[in-house]
Amino acid sequence: MGIATVCLSGTLDDKLTAAAAAGFDGVEIFEPDLVAAADTPEDVRARCADLGLTIDLYQPLRDFEAVPPPLLAANLRRAEHKFQVMERLGADLLLVCSTVHPDSVDDDDLAAEHLHLLSERAAAHGVRIAYEALAWGRHVSTFDRAWRIVRRADHPSLGLCLDSFHILSRGSDTSAIRVIPPEKLFFLQLADAPRLDMDVLQWSRHHRLFPGQGAFDLAAFLRTVLDTGYTGPLSLEVFNDVFRQSDPRVAAVDALRSLLGLQEGASVDTALPAPPRLDGVAFVEIGAGPGADAEVAGALDALGFTRSGEHRSKPVDLWEQGSARILVNRAAAAEGATAVAAIAVESTDPPASARRAERLLAPILPRHTQAGEADLAAVAAPGGTSVFFCRTFFSGTDFSGTDFNGTDTDAGWRADFAPTGAPAETGAGLHSVDHVALTQQTDDFDGAALFYRTVFGLDPETPAEVAAPFGLMRSLALADARHRVRIALSVAAVRRGGWAPAVPHPQHVAFATDDITAAATRLRAAGLLLEIPANYYEDLDARLAPPPERLDLLRDHELLYDRDADGEFLHCYTPVLGSRVFFEVVQRTGGYLGYGALNAPVRMAAHRRDRLRRSA
Amino acid sequence: MGIATVCLSGTLDDKLTAAAAAGFDGVEIFEPDLVAAADTPEDVRARCADLGLTIDLYQPLRDFEAVPPPLLAANLRRAEHKFQVMERLGADLLLVCSTVHPDSVDDDDLAAEHLHLLSERAAAHGVRIAYEALAWGRHVSTFDRAWRIVRRADHPSLGLCLDSFHILSRGSDTSAIRVIPPEKLFFLQLADAPRLDMDVLQWSRHHRLFPGQGAFDLAAFLRTVLDTGYTGPLSLEVFNDVFRQSDPRVAAVDALRSLLGLQEGASVDTALPAPPRLDGVAFVEIGAGPGADAEVAGALDALGFTRSGEHRSKPVDLWEQGSARILVNRAAAAEGATAVAAIAVESTDPPASARRAERLLAPILPRHTQAGEADLAAVAAPGGTSVFFCRTFFSGTDFSGTDFNGTDTDAGWRADFAPTGAPAETGAGLHSVDHVALTQQTDDFDGAALFYRTVFGLDPETPAEVAAPFGLMRSLALADARHRVRIALSVAAVRRGGWAPAVPHPQHVAFATDDITAAATRLRAAGLLLEIPANYYEDLDARLAPPPERLDLLRDHELLYDRDADGEFLHCYTPVLGSRVFFEVVQRTGGYLGYGALNAPVRMAAHRRDRLRRSA
């Protein structure tokens, strides 16, 4: 598996180091990376050998074919220089992109003749040529036309390079790939992309993504290519404005993870354990520093949670209601700070989930388990959240809130908590965690989506965009097929500067209920119900014309509201607790599967007001 | 002059406050801003009155016309609610956008009938309707079709809203605007945009700019509209991802500045003094803290500058060579820090330049001039740079380097410097400042371009995009017609995060010479010539095939090279001095007007290596 250096940020050496550390065994050297480097081609060759990287491709040679004789002569001279560089690099495959030169002509015979000439020169240096149709090529913009030219040129050192972006961005029929003999398929470049209706060159240069992060059906594409008998490298070539400036060590891991996920999707044997079924969120652990811990506890109490357990060796409390469980960890966070420290999901096979995560390059977290405590496999997710896989209800036992067994490690993570003996509250009717919402740093967003998609086996839902008071937000929720585990990711469209970042990177846990007014009533009694402005209800009335008594109920309980063809969504919020965590209560009716994205700006403005009022 | 609240970041009150502070006298209230606000419409009305703002428009009412009866009934109910809100706001004009509703039909008669009905209802509330064609309207996407519908509807409370984006993005012929009677032109929205080949809705929602920041000929458009006799507000409606999240107080000033510049371009009398001719850069002042000051002085010395003067009251040195002058100010900067503190331009009429700057809302900087010192008008440019207007050569005197006159304030800024008596060096043949390059913060880039365009009267050149080692950079140079004053602005396409920001927001001063090898030789002797890698020259040979002796000369002097149809460009660099400033020497031959943008990544990688080596 390989990666083009253009995918990653930094100097050439930064890129090679990151690619090797992630586990790639090959690279495409993007010429501008070499040109700006102080290392000679011989140095780069040695460095790659040290790192265990083969140089699978040198790229690109542009604007070569079907040009007038003087330009052809200059192009051959240029190519000759590059062959020499490649010999010094120890690279034997050169990418030639279909020309965009204004002086080129629309003549496949001439293109074939010129490529034959180039291949003959290349062969003298032990170099082969991989010809690729750019989606915006002046005359050659489709792979099948490029293939006809390669056939016509008929030179053993000339073959085809297929690039998924150039093919799928045009919506080309990929079935014609099947006629290409595998020995003429010299190289395969893979890139995903979101569906954008824009100039294809700009789309390609700025918005490519790693496989699984975009909208292309790359698994089907890869399957088609592999079915030809292609056995060459699977190599990523992704131009992306964010990846170009983010830590290459992180991006390279995302890249390799994406290739593993893609191969699994294309039914290539990757030795990845299939994702075990997820049955829900076992618990969410919130780190809450001094001061913030009381705020979080107060909100949980107001929401009807019972503090049912105390960890046997750590300053961690267990709060429960129905199958919604929150751990409040007072150990790690700074004063006033809050964060979603961990998400534990119920897996039908926790060890297999953990093995899958590890195979997908998720960093395994060191644990400090004491004798008799559950050995939960934990991995680090992007954005500083840990992930656990567990089975709260084991061996068919329906575990009740008071039935602890502190000595049996088979009893799972709950055995680590000594029961407080607190009587279970009647509660407020919350029955489970509906979703966990995590705002990502700019550089982590696409990587986080890929992480939850591949490691958890979740499916991405439709991306959304919200015009929030302090800037545009993008969001993407992922869920399993049964909607037992939902992770909602969001990111500021522009990395925030100094102006009014109301709450930096907020996170929240949403609890599901069938009686949201009960929860709202309790929150209000505790002074912890976020106030929604009258203007919102007036607009709601204008837009959706709910029955008057329904509107009154919403207004009286500070509930936000959405509906679609499948059902309704009612939700309310606590204030921000500590630095950035809050709770949401949601009630879904019918088949509503969204998150009330339309209401997000109203919620954000309300949180802003609430913070200003509390700090006044 | 007005502005839509959607242009600015923050809560509704943040936006109103910023608009009023900048000097706007009207606003368009964007409905979602009101919906998220806790202030009632009555509160907002009172607040606007306090701030001296009229509410010129309430917007938008969407998807109203040409729909089946049940939907029409719901739409009329919705409109009725909005009329009530508008009465409470004291707003009497409602924007209705052409429908994009899937159930709407392509029937101008029906659209006119529905708009007539709406206008009749509106009139009962004292409200008028401004109908606007969205560029992506389902059936009505051009202003002339919207106008035909308005004519057909024939209601005194119904008129047209023209939006420059919707019209110019489609490349519509604007001459048909001339047939619209001014009393039916209810409102004018102005927005610029870069030329982008993409879905027009996405282009509109994310990439609009203030007038003068984009590629549209807004001056001609405005002239056409004003020639109809339109006397209503000129109001900005700009959706922009960066402005949405930047300080609204800064954005509002940019917005008003853009409207002043636009009116000047459209020959509206704005009482703006015409921009005086600029004759060059008088001096560049570099702030250099302890440690960095010696680095800067060392580089100037190596470049052949003479330390010719010392400021009479401040720790500032004057360095000169030809008409290139650098002030090194040791007062302001922190240890090791460097920055371009000020740029002084030679104006044929400094007071008029200063008045123009002030009228264009440039903040006037307080000065601490002592008796007998020159009273230079200084204004603050975006990004922390000050700007001075001066005449170094006054009253026809050709001022020589040793002819100081310390008592006559008419002698200009140089009289503030006591001559050091240092013999003028023979120098290295540098004769002037070629350009000043300033990297902007993300939020400042478009504002900085507008500032130099309007305040200095410079023309923007073609924007460039550079794939730099640590992320994509965008740049825009501005120059006067004679290329005496050139300012090159650049910005990271994605605001930088934690990964390897080699030099944060670098700035440099480029000096012009006719003998760059002399300058490079001196820099090398001082150990201050930035080293360019061999790979660069090998690629240059492959690409451009310069004569071998030419290539040797370039390589031997660490010179970067570019050429175009008009001429050649040779350039070399010093290391980064202190935190972020460096010098460039450039030699232009023929009519080359660029900046060697292609070489920027090579220079950046070289600076990165140089910094690592020096810190090792």
Side-chain angles (χ1 to χ4, degrees):
Chain A
M1 288 181 287
I3 185 167
T5 55
V6 74
C7 301
L8 302 173
S9 188
T11 63
L12 180 57
D13 196 63
D14 291 331
K15 296 169 186 225
L16 297 175
T17 306
F24 283 98
D25 46 33
V27 289
E28 307 174 29
I29 300 274
F30 187 59
E31 184 168 277
D33 287 324
L34 179 68
V35 168
D39 293 333
T40 64
E42 291 83 357
D43 295 337
V44 174
R45 175 186 202 149
R47 178 71 177 144
C48 286
D50 282 351
L51 290 167
L53 294 170
T54 56
I55 300 177
D56 297 330
L57 188 77
Y58 185 78
Q59 62 131 324
L61 188 76
R62 297 186 193 276
D63 293 339
F64 178 81
E65 77 281 17
V67 291
L71 198 48
L72 177 65
N75 287 350
L76 284 168
R77 179 185 181 281
R78 177 159 57 100
E80 198 67 38
H81 275 75
K82 297 307 175 186
F83 296 152
Q84 290 169 20
V85 168
M86 290 177 68
E87 282 190 279
R88 296 167 63 196
L89 275 173
D92 72 353
L93 189 61
L94 174 65
L95 181 74
V96 174
C97 304
S98 63
T99 186
V100 300
H101 200 286
D103 293 342
S104 65
V105 295
D106 188 2
D107 181 339
D108 286 3
D109 284 337
L110 191 65
E113 188 183 316
H114 289 178
L115 288 171
H116 186 99
L117 195 56
L118 179 70
S119 302
E120 194 66 23
R121 302 282 183 94
H125 295 270
V127 167
R128 296 177 307 140
I129 303 294
Y131 183 56
E132 172 187 71
L134 296 177
W136 55 92
R138 186 165 160 83
H139 308 297
V140 177
S141 57
T142 60
F143 78 90
D144 48 328
R145 185 160 174 191
W147 166 235
R148 286 196 301 274
I149 292 170
V150 166
R151 258 170 62 99
R152 202 166 301 179
D154 190 25
H155 192 287
S157 294
L158 179 65
L160 207 60
C161 172
L162 295 182
D163 178 312
S164 62
F165 180 89
H166 292 302
I167 296 170
L168 300 177
S169 65
R170 298 180 55 99
S172 298
D173 175 9
T174 55
S175 63
I177 290 173
R178 292 177 299 178
V179 303
I180 307 170
E183 66 275 12
K184 294 304 265 185
L185 263 187
F186 280 9
F187 206 73
L188 177 61
Q189 291 177 320
L190 295 162
D192 204 343
R195 279 271 160 227
L196 295 172
D197 178 7
M198 66 188 298
D199 173 60
V200 69
L201 188 152
Q202 297 300 324
W203 185 16
S204 173
R205 291 251 170 102
H206 299 285
H207 302 288
R208 287 187 181 206
L209 291 167
F210 292 129
Q213 294 179 327
F216 292 163
D217 186 353
L218 277 183
F221 175 82
L222 176 60
R223 191 66 261 158
T224 302
V225 174
L226 293 177
D227 284 347
T228 66
Y230 174 77
T231 55
L234 309 183
S235 192
L236 295 166
E237 192 197 30
V238 170
F239 308 84
N240 179 290
D241 290 358
V242 172
F243 304 165
R244 272 186 195 281
Q245 59 79 60
S246 64
D247 190 330
R249 295 162 297 193
V250 176
V253 169
D254 286 348
L256 194 61
R257 180 177 294 143
S258 80
L259 267 185
L260 292 167
L262 171 60
Q263 290 178 88
E264 180 183 50
S267 305
V268 175
D269 181 19
T270 53
L272 267 185
R277 197 187 71 207
L278 301 183
D279 284 330
V281 173
F283 64 81
V284 177
E285 178 178 335
I286 292 172
D293 55 344
E295 286 187 56
V296 173
L300 290 169
D301 183 58
L303 282 165
F305 279 76
T306 300
R307 196 175 74 86
S308 57
E310 284 173 0
H311 197 277
R312 298 180 186 278
S313 67
K314 300 172 191 162
V316 180
D317 289 339
L318 166 62
W319 293 77
E320 293 190 86
Q321 181 172 190
S323 64
R325 300 175 203 91
I326 299 288
L327 306 190
V328 180
N329 186 335
R330 300 185 305 278
E335 181 159 339
T338 47
V340 171
I343 301 172
V345 289
E346 302 279 358
S347 165
T348 50
D349 185 350
S353 286
R355 280 198 308 277
R356 178 178 173 84
E358 187 168 11
R359 281 276 305 146
L360 284 165
L361 312 173
I364 306 297
L365 292 173
R367 274 156 301 130
H368 306 286
T369 312
Q370 308 214 349
E373 291 182 359
D375 188 32
L376 290 181
V379 298
T385 308
S386 302
V387 162
F388 296 88
F389 300 100
C390 59
R391 290 189 73 187
T392 305
F393 304 103
F394 57 95
S395 314
T397 307
D398 189 359
F399 209 83
S400 86
T402 51
D403 185 11
F404 283 98
N405 178 343
T407 58
D408 181 359
T409 60
D410 280 331
W413 65 270
R414 285 193 33 176
D416 297 347
F417 289 83
T420 59
E425 287 216 41
T426 49
L430 311 190
H431 52 70
S432 59
V433 170
D434 183 86
H435 63 277
V436 181
L438 304 170
T439 311
Q440 301 295 305
Q441 302 273 359
T442 304
D443 293 356
D444 290 338
F445 181 67
D446 288 304
L450 181 70
F451 178 92
Y452 290 109
R453 181 173 187 169
T454 55
V455 173
F456 280 23
L458 303 182
D459 297 316
E461 302 183 341
T462 309
E465 200 170 79
V466 165
F470 296 99
L472 212 63
M473 300 292 301
R474 301 213 166 97
S475 63
L476 178 71
L478 300 101
D480 67 297
R482 299 180 307 154
H483 308 286
R484 297 291 183 88
V485 174
R486 291 174 162 115
I487 308 286
L489 304 174
S490 61
V491 67
V494 175
R495 196 198 305 271
R496 292 290 162 82
W499 159 247
V503 175
H505 302 98
Q507 304 178 316
H508 76 267
V509 183
F511 302 111
T513 183
D514 297 318
D515 181 8
I516 193 167
T517 57
T521 301
R522 286 187 63 120
L523 283 176
R524 186 198 296 281
L528 291 172
L529 180 62
L530 185 68
E531 285 180 25
I532 303 303
N535 295 340
Y536 171 77
Y537 297 100
E538 286 164 15
D539 180 64
L540 193 63
D541 188 11
R543 281 192 291 122
L544 302 179
E549 63 284 4
R550 180 74 158 172
L551 186 64
D552 288 345
L553 180 138
L554 296 171
R555 188 191 282 114
D556 290 349
H557 294 86
E558 313 285 347
L559 303 179
L560 297 161
Y561 178 79
D562 191 25
R563 73 173 180 224
D564 62 18
D566 299 316
E568 291 182 303
F569 187 66
L570 289 75
H571 52 144
C572 64
Y573 294 90
T574 70
V576 177
L577 310 164
S579 59
R580 62 169 177 149
V581 170
F582 55 93
F583 296 121
E584 179 182 11
V585 180
V586 312
Q587 181 172 349
R588 298 173 183 273
T589 64
Y592 182 96
L593 294 176
Y595 302 84
L598 194 70
N599 298 325
V602 176
R603 191 270 301 160
M604 293 179 199
H607 267 144
R608 166 84 170 165
R609 277 191 299 276
D610 181 79
R611 297 280 275 187
L612 289 176
R613 203 183 59 225
R614 282 166 200 270
S615 68
Chain B
M1 288 181 287
I3 185 166
T5 54
V6 75
C7 302
L8 302 172
S9 188
T11 63
L12 180 58
D13 196 62
D14 291 330
K15 296 170 186 225
L16 297 175
T17 306
F24 282 97
D25 45 34
V27 288
E28 307 173 30
I29 301 275
F30 186 61
E31 183 167 279
D33 288 324
L34 178 68
V35 168
D39 294 333
T40 63
E42 292 82 358
D43 294 336
V44 173
R45 174 185 202 150
R47 178 72 179 143
C48 286
D50 283 351
L51 290 167
L53 295 170
T54 56
I55 300 177
D56 297 331
L57 188 77
Y58 185 78
Q59 63 131 324
L61 188 76
R62 298 187 193 276
D63 294 338
F64 178 81
E65 76 282 16
V67 291
L71 198 47
L72 177 66
N75 287 350
L76 284 169
R77 179 184 180 281
R78 178 159 57 100
E80 198 67 37
H81 276 75
K82 298 305 175 185
F83 297 150
Q84 289 169 21
V85 169
M86 290 177 67
E87 284 191 278
R88 296 167 62 196
L89 275 173
D92 72 352
L93 188 62
L94 174 65
L95 181 74
V96 174
C97 304
S98 63
T99 186
V100 299
H101 200 285
D103 293 341
S104 65
V105 295
D106 188 3
D107 182 337
D108 286 2
D109 283 337
L110 190 64
E113 188 182 315
H114 289 177
L115 288 170
H116 186 100
L117 194 57
L118 179 70
S119 303
E120 194 65 24
R121 301 284 182 94
H125 295 271
V127 166
R128 296 176 309 140
I129 303 294
Y131 182 57
E132 172 187 70
L134 295 178
W136 56 90
R138 186 166 162 83
H139 307 296
V140 178
S141 57
T142 60
F143 77 90
D144 48 329
R145 184 160 177 192
W147 166 235
R148 286 196 300 275
I149 292 171
V150 166
R151 259 171 61 100
R152 202 166 301 178
D154 191 25
H155 193 286
S157 293
L158 179 66
L160 207 60
C161 172
L162 295 182
D163 178 311
S164 62
F165 180 88
H166 292 302
I167 296 170
L168 300 177
S169 66
R170 296 181 56 99
S172 297
D173 176 9
T174 55
S175 63
I177 291 173
R178 291 177 300 179
V179 303
I180 307 169
E183 68 275 11
K184 293 304 264 185
L185 263 186
F186 280 10
F187 206 72
L188 176 62
Q189 291 177 320
L190 295 162
D192 204 343
R195 279 271 160 226
L196 295 172
D197 178 7
M198 65 187 299
D199 173 61
V200 68
L201 188 152
Q202 296 301 323
W203 184 15
S204 173
R205 291 251 171 104
H206 299 286
H207 301 288
R208 288 186 179 207
L209 291 167
F210 293 128
Q213 294 179 327
F216 291 163
D217 186 354
L218 276 183
F221 175 81
L222 176 58
R223 190 67 262 158
T224 302
V225 174
L226 293 178
D227 284 347
T228 65
Y230 175 77
T231 55
L234 309 184
S235 192
L236 295 166
E237 192 198 28
V238 170
F239 308 85
N240 179 290
D241 290 358
V242 172
F243 304 164
R244 270 186 197 280
Q245 58 79 59
S246 64
D247 189 331
R249 296 162 295 193
V250 176
V253 168
D254 286 350
L256 194 61
R257 180 178 295 142
S258 80
L259 266 185
L260 292 167
L262 171 60
Q263 289 178 88
E264 179 184 49
S267 307
V268 176
D269 181 19
T270 53
L272 267 186
R277 198 186 69 207
L278 301 183
D279 284 329
V281 173
F283 63 81
V284 177
E285 179 177 334
I286 293 172
D293 55 346
E295 286 187 55
V296 173
L300 290 169
D301 183 58
L303 283 165
F305 279 77
T306 301
R307 196 176 74 87
S308 58
E310 285 173 358
H311 197 277
R312 296 178 188 279
S313 67
K314 299 171 190 162
V316 181
D317 289 338
L318 166 62
W319 293 77
E320 292 191 85
Q321 182 172 190
S323 64
R325 299 176 203 92
I326 299 289
L327 307 190
V328 180
N329 186 336
R330 301 186 303 280
E335 181 158 338
T338 47
V340 171
I343 301 170
V345 289
E346 303 279 359
S347 164
T348 50
D349 185 349
S353 286
R355 279 199 308 277
R356 178 177 173 83
E358 188 170 8
R359 280 277 304 146
L360 282 165
L361 313 173
I364 306 297
L365 292 173
R367 274 158 298 131
H368 307 286
T369 313
Q370 308 214 349
E373 292 182 357
D375 189 31
L376 290 181
V379 298
T385 309
S386 302
V387 162
F388 296 90
F389 301 100
C390 60
R391 290 189 71 187
T392 305
F393 304 100
F394 55 94
S395 315
T397 306
D398 188 0
F399 208 82
S400 85
T402 51
D403 185 10
F404 283 99
N405 177 343
T407 57
D408 180 358
T409 58
D410 280 331
W413 65 270
R414 285 193 34 175
D416 297 347
F417 289 83
T420 58
E425 288 215 39
T426 49
L430 310 189
H431 52 70
S432 59
V433 170
D434 183 86
H435 64 275
V436 181
L438 304 171
T439 310
Q440 302 295 305
Q441 302 271 1
T442 304
D443 293 357
D444 289 338
F445 180 68
D446 288 305
L450 181 71
F451 177 92
Y452 290 108
R453 181 174 188 168
T454 54
V455 172
F456 280 23
L458 303 183
D459 297 316
E461 302 181 342
T462 309
E465 200 170 82
V466 165
F470 296 99
L472 213 63
M473 300 290 302
R474 301 215 166 95
S475 63
L476 179 71
L478 301 101
D480 67 298
R482 300 180 307 156
H483 304 102
R484 298 290 184 88
V485 174
R486 291 174 162 116
I487 308 285
L489 305 174
S490 61
V491 67
V494 176
R495 196 198 306 270
R496 292 290 162 83
W499 159 247
V503 175
H505 302 99
Q507 303 179 316
H508 76 268
V509 183
F511 302 111
T513 183
D514 297 317
D515 181 7
I516 193 168
T517 60
T521 302
R522 286 187 62 121
L523 283 175
R524 187 198 296 282
L528 291 172
L529 181 62
L530 185 69
E531 284 180 28
I532 303 303
N535 295 340
Y536 172 77
Y537 297 100
E538 286 165 15
D539 181 62
L540 193 63
D541 188 11
R543 280 193 291 123
L544 302 179
E549 63 281 5
R550 181 72 158 173
L551 186 65
D552 288 343
L553 179 137
L554 295 171
R555 188 190 284 114
D556 290 349
H557 293 86
E558 313 284 346
L559 302 180
L560 297 160
Y561 178 80
D562 191 24
R563 75 174 179 224
D564 62 16
D566 299 315
E568 291 181 304
F569 187 66
L570 290 75
H571 53 144
C572 64
Y573 294 90
T574 69
V576 176
L577 310 164
S579 59
R580 62 170 178 147
V581 170
F582 56 93
F583 296 121
E584 179 182 12
V585 181
V586 312
Q587 181 172 348
R588 298 173 183 274
T589 64
Y592 183 96
L593 294 176
Y595 302 85
L598 195 68
N599 298 324
V602 176
R603 191 271 300 160
M604 292 179 199
H607 267 144
R608 166 82 171 167
R609 277 191 299 276
D610 181 80
R611 297 281 276 187
L612 289 176
R613 206 183 57 227
R614 283 166 200 269
S615 69

